[in-house]
Amino acid sequence: HVQLVESGGGSVQAGGSLTLSCVVSGVAYNRLSLDMKWCMGWFRQAPAKERKAVAVIDMDGKINYADSVKERFTVSRDDEQATLYLQMNSLKSEDSDMYYCAATFACGVSWSNPQIFSYWGLGTQVTVS
């Protein structure tokens, strides 16, 4: 039973920074990371809107970002700690949303499609004023 738990959201003023974390549990993550790294990423969603990709690290280490966050956000993973991070700098009011951590076995060119992700966290709210 795979679980993803996000943390690190909150309220911040425009121009500020936040770091989101996502801890994976319920699998032998370290063993999987040696044999088959997962594709993991961050998505965002506003009420009644579609879930959109923010940043994704594929199983081969390739990183993709949404155009709106390039040069401001950095995604990283610590396989020993089974944790995915999202460093968010120069935050803007339009970055306000619920942010979700997601995981699946491989992403490839479909990295931005939330439907290919098998596992999701419950989300953490980011509010920029």
Side-chain angles (χ1 to χ4, degrees):
H1 178 61
V2 177
Q3 286 188 313
L4 282 66
V5 179
E6 305 96 335
S7 62
S11 297
V12 64
Q13 290 188 338
S17 298
L18 284 174
T19 300
L20 306 184
S21 300
C22 171
V23 178
V24 182
S25 63
V27 293
Y29 187 87
N30 288 343
R31 180 176 64 81
L32 283 175
S33 72
L34 293 175
D35 300 328
M36 183 180 67
K37 292 183 185 292
W38 287 21
C39 172
M40 295 190 68
W42 293 95
F43 288 74
R44 58 187 290 181
Q45 187 173 25
K49 297 288 183 65
E50 292 184 351
R51 194 164 290 189
K52 297 180 180 180
V54 176
V56 171
I57 301 180
D58 208 339
M59 54 188 297
D60 61 359
K62 183 176 180 180
I63 295 177
N64 288 287
Y65 292 99
D67 288 342
S68 61
V69 305
K70 287 180 179 178
E71 309 299 329
R72 298 189 299 121
F73 290 11
T74 302
V75 63
S76 61
R77 60 193 296 168
D78 183 336
D79 289 328
E80 289 189 1
Q81 299 296 323
T83 303
L84 181 74
Y85 300 98
L86 184 67
Q87 175 66 44
M88 303 187 294
N89 298 326
S90 302
L91 283 161
K92 305 174 181 179
S93 58
E94 52 262 44
D95 294 320
S96 297
D97 255 336
M98 185 71 81
Y99 283 71
Y100 296 90
C101 176
T104 192
F105 292 110
C107 292
V109 297
S110 299
W111 65 271
S112 62
N113 183 358
Q115 294 185 5
I116 71 166
F117 286 81
S118 302
Y119 305 102
W120 292 89
L122 296 179
T124 185
Q125 178 69 41
V126 172
T127 303
V128 184
S129 59

